[in-house]
Amino acid sequence: MNANKLKIRYCHPRYWLTWMGILALFLSSLLPFSLLLLMGKLLGRCGYYIAKSRRRIAHRNIELCFPDFSTLEVEQKVMHNFENAGIALFEMAMAWFWPSWRIRSILKVRGLEHLQQAKQNGKGIIFLGAHFLTLEMGGRGLGLTNPTFAVYRKHSNPVLDYYFHWGRMRNQKGMVDRKDLKGMIRILKEGESLWYAPDHDYGRHKSSVFAPFFNVENANTVAGTSTLARVKNSCVIPAFLRRLPESRWL
């Protein structure tokens, strides 16, 4: 659990650009939602043409996962991904700075019966997530639905780390470092809930596994979910957020 606090050293000139970025995020959060979606799309399209190395990586990933796609289909998917990446930046501002009532006004929740059943049975709950572009808003939406503990990775920039921690603590019970396995197990044994996203590739280590992923036979990931799921009286509930066409989230 992290007790993040602002420190005077964060005023150092090396962090001024970071502070300017955070101020820009806050100011953007005051704009209408429809405008933020448009700005996000435009920003993503700019990124498509500027971030050439990222664009090549995205192209290759889509080609590997969907070998039957035509060149045009791959191009469309990559552009769509960049557009959503731009939207994700503004969604982060919303997740950090929007009041709860504003998020609830555009949030739909489905599958609450599974959560209610698990809680009635006194189970510790692993909310299984993934590092999708809706990550930040997904965490805030989950906290509004069921305050939980979230697994996180410390950021190298201490100012950003403070705001990531502060923003993700909105409506949540606490944060757990991704290396604190004992802390995660303790939370589940106490009948609490834990948001966990195990889809990163950390390279070869003792908890790595290789599994099929779309058309890729051996994709590297971690086996942390199976370890946590073995905790007595715990269960796994997938928890994902997606953007709906009518500018809402599910």
Side-chain angles (χ1 to χ4, degrees):
M1 317 297 175
N2 190 351
N4 247 8
K5 294 182 180 180
L6 282 175
K7 299 176 182 178
I8 192 65
R9 65 184 179 87
Y10 296 168
C11 296
H12 191 280
R14 78 177 66 163
Y15 301 123
W16 286 359
L17 189 60
T18 302
W19 282 112
M20 291 172 62
I22 292 168
L23 177 61
L25 286 177
F26 170 72
L27 293 175
S28 73
S29 72
L30 304 176
L31 298 173
F33 181 44
S34 57
L35 180 57
L36 291 173
L37 289 176
L38 177 60
M39 289 169 58
K41 277 191 173 184
L42 293 175
L43 179 64
R45 289 178 183 178
C46 291
Y48 173 87
Y49 294 106
I50 295 172
K52 294 181 180 180
S53 63
R54 290 291 178 179
R55 189 175 70 212
R56 286 194 295 269
I57 292 171
H59 266 276
R60 184 55 181 155
N61 286 338
I62 296 295
E63 289 169 349
L64 287 172
C65 290
F66 303 100
D68 295 331
F69 275 12
S70 66
T71 302
L72 177 60
E73 287 175 314
V74 171
E75 191 73 20
Q76 290 173 337
K77 289 292 184 183
V78 173
M79 174 62 82
H80 187 58
N81 178 261
F82 270 83
E83 290 177 346
N84 280 274
I87 293 173
L89 178 65
F90 292 106
E91 279 184 351
M92 183 169 68
M94 300 176 216
W96 287 5
F97 300 114
W98 272 18
S100 297
W101 65 264
R102 195 175 178 189
I103 293 178
R104 286 194 175 100
S105 69
I106 54 175
L107 179 69
K108 294 181 179 180
V109 182
R110 189 171 65 188
L112 276 176
E113 65 275 10
H114 304 295
L115 171 62
Q116 293 165 350
Q117 182 179 353
K119 294 178 75 171
Q120 287 172 1
N121 294 332
K123 290 184 175 293
I125 302 168
I126 304 163
F127 286 114
L128 180 63
H131 290 85
F132 294 154
L133 292 170
T134 53
L135 174 69
E136 296 296 328
M137 188 57 75
R140 183 76 190 275
L142 179 60
L144 285 169
T145 305
N146 181 81
T148 184
F149 291 88
V151 178
Y152 84 108
R153 177 179 65 86
K154 190 176 181 65
H155 200 283
S156 57
N157 182 317
V159 178
L160 279 178
D161 184 64
Y162 170 82
Y163 272 96
F164 271 114
H165 187 275
W166 176 84
R168 292 174 179 179
M169 276 296 293
R170 301 285 301 271
N171 305 114
Q172 300 288 15
K173 286 189 174 181
M175 305 290 287
V176 188
D177 189 282
R178 66 182 177 89
K179 297 180 181 179
D180 186 9
L181 181 60
K182 290 183 178 179
M184 299 180 207
I185 293 174
R186 181 173 63 252
I187 287 168
L188 294 174
K189 285 184 175 180
E190 292 174 354
E192 295 283 358
S193 53
L194 181 75
W195 186 91
Y196 181 65
D199 55 312
H200 270 172
D201 180 354
Y202 293 116
R204 291 180 178 272
H205 56 82
K206 61 182 180 181
S207 62
S208 291
V209 294
F210 288 87
F213 180 75
F214 288 89
N215 200 57
V216 179
E217 287 297 322
N218 291 299
N220 192 9
T221 186
V222 293
T225 306
S226 60
T227 301
L228 294 172
R230 287 196 290 269
V231 175
K232 186 177 180 181
N233 204 36
S234 66
C235 67
V236 178
I237 299 178
F240 300 100
L241 185 87
R242 64 187 179 95
R243 302 186 189 106
L244 300 180
E246 62 270 26
S247 298
R248 301 174 77 91
W249 290 296
L250 175 65

